[in-house]
Amino acid sequence: MKYLLQIDFPYSGPFGDEFFTAMKELAEDIATEEGLVSKIWTENEETQEAGGIYVFDNLDDANRYLAKHTQRLESFGFTDIKAKTFKINEELSKITKASV
């Protein structure tokens, strides 16, 4: 069973191409996380938020990563970090074109 982890936090920029440049090294590190299937990076300049939607192949790795990433974000000075974890219904998700 796969799990979705959603993390959001207040973020004042940079956004767009500058966000890519600023976060490329972090993205390369996150890509090596044990149990990670994928991450979708999220950003909203209008609401001043950023975060990500992660898919993990097990709950233990999702929880481990959440603790690690929360600590990392806090060390960067971010606060008000919100996170939710969900089981993924893979059969229904496949019908609606999700690649899980």
Side-chain angles (χ1 to χ4, degrees):
M1 177 166 298
K2 293 190 177 88
Y3 290 83
L4 182 141
L5 171 61
Q6 176 183 334
I7 302 175
D8 302 292
F9 53 93
Y11 180 75
S12 59
F15 294 94
D17 290 340
E18 291 176 8
F19 186 55
F20 170 81
T21 300
M23 300 299 169
K24 184 176 184 287
E25 189 174 306
L26 178 59
E28 291 167 346
D29 180 67
I30 290 170
T32 67
E33 287 294 328
E34 188 171 335
L36 179 70
V37 175
S38 66
K39 175 183 180 179
I40 296 173
W41 289 72
T42 58
E43 58 179 292
N44 188 324
E45 188 170 1
E46 186 176 307
T47 61
Q48 298 284 286
E49 295 176 280
I53 305 295
Y54 305 76
V55 176
F56 282 89
D57 61 17
N58 65 78
L59 184 57
D60 289 340
D61 284 334
N63 287 333
R64 178 197 45 75
Y65 179 77
L66 175 57
K68 175 183 176 178
H69 196 53
T70 299
Q71 184 178 14
R72 175 173 31 208
L73 289 170
E74 290 172 343
S75 77
F76 294 159
F78 293 107
T79 59
D80 197 25
I81 300 160
K82 296 181 177 86
K84 295 179 182 180
T85 305
F86 301 90
K87 287 182 184 178
I88 296 175
N89 185 309
E90 293 182 51
E91 295 307 312
L92 288 173
S93 297
K94 287 176 187 175
I95 292 170
T96 54
K97 303 180 183 181
S99 57
V100 289

